[in-house]
Structure formats: C-alpha cells, structure tokens
Amino acid sequence: MTTSTPPRRLFIKTHGCQMNVYDSERIADVLAPLGYRLTDDVESADMIVLNTCHIREKATEKVYSELGRLKAIKARRAEEGDKMIIAVAGCVAQAEGEEIMIRQPAVDLVVGPQSYHRLPELIAKGHRARGDSLAADFEPQAKFDALPVSHDGTGVTAFLTVQEGCDKFCTFCVVPYTRGAEYSRPSTAIEAEARALAARGVREVTLLGQNVNAYVDQDGGGLAVLIRRLAKIPGLDRIRYTTSHPRDMNAELISAHGEVEALMPFLHLPVQSGSDRLLKAMNRGHTTESYLRIIEEVRAARRDIAISGDFIVGFPGERDSDFEATLDLVREVRHAGAFSFKYSRRPGTPAAAMGGQIDEAVKDERLQRLQALLSEQQSAFNASQIGRTVPVLLERHGRHPGQLIGRSPYLQGVHCSAPEAMIGAIVPVAISAASLNSLTGELALETA
Ligand code: 5AD
Ligand code: SF4
C-alpha cells in the first residue's frame, strides 16, 4: 500500500573508513522505502544512525560520549512530544552488541555490518513496540499483499476477515510493513457476522487472514476454537480458512480437521521452497522437515485432505540444487494445487538488498518447470475424483444453459446439469470427467 504520510528524517553520522561510508549509503537505501529521507540536521531527525568505527583507540568510549549528547537531544524532543530513534551501527555495534543498550538506554537499536539488511524488520518492530504505525511507501502489488475482498452478500459463499497483519517478516515480503502487526478480531464479532451471513443464505464461509492460523481471540482461544464455534451455527455447512503459516499450524487445528465435519478437507499452507538453506535466508522459521511433518499429521487427522501451497522461485542465492529440492518436495507432498511466483525484488525488504539476485531468464525457466510439475499433480488429483460421488455446493450458473457450477469439498470447481432452484444446495455429484481446472459430473440424487 502506498501511504501519503510525511517523510521521516534520517540523520547518519559516519565514522571511519570508506567501507563505512559505503555502508551508510546502503543503510539510507534500505530505509528509503520506509519513508526515511536524509537530513543534515541532527536536532530535527526522527532517526539517528551512528555508524561507528573501531580502529582508533578509545573508539568505544567516544561512541558512548557521543551517545550521551544524542540522549540529551532525544530527551528535548520527547518534551516536545516527538519520538526519536537512536541506532548504533558499524564495528562498535558488532563488537559491543546489546551491551550498548544496557549502558546507554536511550539507544533503540544496535545493528552490526552483517545485519543491515534486517534493518527494515528491526525498525518496524521498534515502531510496533512503541505503538506507532510505520509509514511504509511500497508499490502496491496486489497479488502478493492483498486479502480477497469481502463478498457483496448475494452469494452462497462468503469471505470473513478474522485476522490481519503479520509478525513473521519473511525477507521477501512487504506485508509486515504495509499491514502492520498481527491483529485478531474478537470472536464475538466474528460469530455475529457469521450468523448474519448464514441467515441470508450463505452456506460456506472462508475465514481470512494474512496469518489466519495465528488467530487468537480475547480469551486466548485459537483458530480451532473459533472454527468449532462457527461450526455450530445452523445453515453454515462449510468452513474454510486461508492463509496459514506452518509455524502456527498447531495440534488443536490439526485435530479439528479430523473432528469438525464442517471444516473442509483443504489446506493452503505455503512452503515457498524445498531448500532449508533458502528457507533460512527467507526467515521462514520452518524447515522442509517440519513442514513435511505437519503435512503428515494433517493427513493422519484427515486422510483425504487436499494440500495447496505458495512457492517462490529465483530467490536470491537460489542454486540449481535448491530448486531441485523444491521439485522434490512437491513430488513428495503431491500438492492438489498451488500458486507459484518468480521472486520479485521489493525495495525495503531485506532480500532486495541481498547478493546473488537471479537472472530473469533463469527465474522464467524454473517457474515453467515448477508449474509444469504442479499442473501435472493438480490434473492427477482432479482425475482421481472420476468415478466418485462428492458433495457439491452449487453456487452459480455455468456457461451453458441448464448448467450450474459448484465446489467440491476440495475446492475444485464442478460443472453439472441442475435446476436453478438448486443454487445454495449441497448435492451429491457423480464425477465423470476431470481437467486441470475443474470436474464435470451428474447429479446423483436418489429417485424415490
Ligand atoms: N516475490 C515473489 N513472491 C512473493 N510473495 C510474497 N512476496 C513475494 C515477492 N517479493 C508470494 C509468497 C506468498 C504469496 C502471497 O505471495 O509466495 O506466500
Ligand atoms: Fe509475508 Fe511471510 Fe507474513 Fe506471509 S508470513 S505475509 S509471506 S511475511
């Protein structure tokens, strides 16, 4: 989201060698998308970065005395109601680490030369901790950042936002900066909205959140508790949720898949890559092994669950072997569907400043290979439904006269001939044909 808040003023004081001069420029670049513009005036700065040097004797003591002066400026600004961030970077930061904040509590951030790329995350977290929002100036790119828009209220399915924001800080992603911290709506409000939806004929609700399984209500209940509550609402026959993070896929939610009938057997659980080295560079907070374990547990709870995911190819530093590991993971999981993207460099995110950016041509080639494999699996999953009879929620008219389109429990589109009056009904459909994107079948209603 692009916001039009006034720029924040950044004052950088550089000590030492040419390397530090270069690093100060990088720091300014990394902070620009967060709204920071350079100023020469230390007194009016919103953030001061002291880029320190270790080489001379007593360098550390000099840093502390300089910090003492900055503390006085910060205190004056605070009296005027202004907030100022003091960050220490460079070699002294590296050598002293958090010790600096203990000796001089006016310091908000200490960041060594190896971690400049993490500055956006550190700063966003600093803003959050003080309860103010971050003026992020990112180019909007809806496919990565936006939640689906809530429904207009005429359909038999609806989206219901239960959670927003993200605390995960994947290094490629703008959401933690643009959408802010994780926030969950009170479950009472959600339940009231779900009841109102059901009363107007909605039979399937998809609970939405950037990190929907990080949901926690006012009493500490997680998403599983919310789902169990909503499943009791008369008329609300189907519940889905998206998007989840592997880190928040807890045991309660997994067991709900085996126990709550209304909870549909479909899980969108992005993994992004099959290479542990890249997952680490992405700051995903999970490994391929922990992801596979979750899939195994979910399948143990609900044997027929369809697994979907998000993938990124061409993340900085991705080697052929990393990409092959992603293909291996996809083969092992047998995803029923997925979204896959070429890595897109978003200035202001840590990954944008990483070395090893990948050529577009390589990204293209990898994306094609990954999508070919995912399509193959999606087609195979769809074909596996042929000959089965599945409950389909009929949603709307199809392209051909007399045809309706609905969804299977696995989120597949299903075409069948049925009278219009059946829109909103969940009916058994015998599946006779399948393609990459949909199924076709015949109503299998018992005739009396
Ligand atoms: N480049 C490519 N894909 C991205 N996503 C988010 N940010 C980026 C980016 N910079 C993808 C991730 C995420 C999905 C919503 O969008 O796969 O799960
Ligand atoms: Fe972005 Fe990662 Fe948060 Fe998803 S979990 S919104 S990819 S930072």
Side-chain angles (χ1 to χ4, degrees), residues 215-229:
Y215 179 84
V216 53
D217 74 10
Q218 63 284 351
D219 306 318
L223 186 64
V225 173
L226 180 69
I227 288 171
R228 286 179 195 272
R229 218 164 130 177

Side-chain angles (χ1 to χ4, degrees), residues 7-13 23-50 77 84-87 109 119 123:
R8 295 168 193 263
R9 288 159 298 225
L10 171 66
F11 178 88
I12 306 185
K13 174 98 181 266
D23 281 347
S24 289
E25 282 168 13
R26 267 180 65 207
I27 291 171
D29 285 348
V30 162
L31 294 181
L34 301 185
Y36 285 97
R37 303 286 177 264
L38 282 171
T39 175
D40 296 332
D41 178 24
V42 64
E43 299 277 338
S44 68
D46 299 296
M47 167 149 33
I48 295 174
V49 178
L50 208 56
R77 290 285 299 284
M84 180 186 249
I85 297 175
I86 300 180
L109 280 176
L119 261 175
I123 285 168

Side-chain angles (χ1 to χ4, degrees), residues 166 168-170 172-173 175-176 211 245 284:
C166 179
K168 306 293 190 291
F169 289 94
C170 299
F172 51 80
C173 184
V175 166
N211 271 278
H245 194 291
R284 286 288 296 172

Side-chain angles (χ1 to χ4, degrees), residues 143-145 172-174 270 272 284 310-312 339 341-346:
K143 71 173 170 178
F144 299 144
D145 317 342
F172 51 80
C173 184
V174 297
Q272 316 294 359
R284 286 288 296 172
D310 290 345
F311 294 89
I312 295 179
F339 298 108
F341 308 96
K342 283 189 285 180
Y343 168 69
S344 152
R345 199 172 182 170
R346 310 296 306 273

Side-chain angles (χ1 to χ4, degrees), residues 186-436:
S187 55
T188 37
I190 296 166
E191 185 178 343
E193 207 171 317
R195 280 187 191 280
L197 288 169
R200 0 179 254 255
V202 167
R203 302 202 61 186
E204 172 179 306
V205 70
T206 302
L207 308 178
L208 287 181
Q210 253 106 22
N211 271 278
V212 73
N213 58 341
Y215 179 84
V216 53
D217 74 10
Q218 63 284 351
D219 306 318
L223 186 64
V225 173
L226 180 69
I227 288 171
R228 286 179 195 272
R229 218 164 130 177
L230 300 183
K232 295 199 185 107
I233 298 176
L236 208 57
D237 298 306
R238 290 183 163 194
I239 299 173
R240 304 178 186 276
Y241 59 92
T242 199
T243 292
S244 296
H245 194 291
R247 264 158 71 180
D248 296 318
M249 208 61 218
N250 58 34
E252 289 82 45
L253 188 53
I254 293 174
S255 8
H257 274 285
E259 293 163 7
V260 180
E261 204 190 328
L263 184 56
M264 290 293 100
F266 182 93
L267 175 63
H268 181 67
L269 193 66
V271 60
Q272 316 294 359
S273 168
S275 154
D276 285 336
R277 203 173 64 80
L278 287 200
L279 290 174
K280 192 152 191 276
M282 289 174 169
N283 191 32
R284 286 288 296 172
H286 63 82
T287 59
T288 47
E289 195 196 327
S290 62
Y291 174 81
L292 289 171
R293 199 174 329 117
I294 293 166
I295 300 298
E296 202 178 300
E297 286 169 13
V298 173
R299 282 186 168 145
R302 178 79 202 230
R303 191 190 42 77
D304 62 336
I305 196 160
I307 306 291
S308 145
D310 290 345
F311 294 89
I312 295 179
V313 299
F315 185 82
E318 185 183 66
R319 301 180 193 137
D320 281 338
S321 54
D322 296 311
F323 176 64
E324 292 298 333
T326 300
L327 295 179
D328 287 344
L329 179 91
V330 170
R331 287 187 197 103
E332 184 163 351
V333 174
R334 287 169 287 110
H335 293 83
F339 298 108
S340 46
F341 308 96
K342 283 189 285 180
Y343 168 69
S344 152
R345 199 172 182 170
R346 310 296 306 273
T349 59
M354 286 179 188
Q357 300 285 328
I358 306 291
D359 271 3
E360 257 335 272
V362 175
K363 287 187 201 169
D364 280 331
E365 199 252 342
R366 288 180 183 165
L367 187 66
Q368 270 181 30
R369 284 183 60 202
L370 175 61
Q371 290 190 336
L373 176 61
L374 289 167
S375 296
E376 204 179 290
Q377 295 190 158
Q378 188 171 326
S379 295
F381 178 71
N382 288 351
S384 72
Q385 306 294 319
I386 296 175
R388 293 184 55 197
T389 297
V390 297
V392 172
L393 170 56
L394 296 171
E395 289 176 19
R396 59 195 162 89
H397 293 281
R399 231 181 314 148
H400 306 295
Q403 187 191 52
L404 297 185
I405 299 181
R407 292 218 178 256
S408 76
Y410 314 106
L411 206 62
Q412 297 150 302
V414 182
H415 302 254
C416 70
S417 294
E420 184 178 344
M422 280 194 171
I423 289 181
I426 296 173
V427 295
V429 175
I431 304 302
S432 53
S435 68
L436 173 61

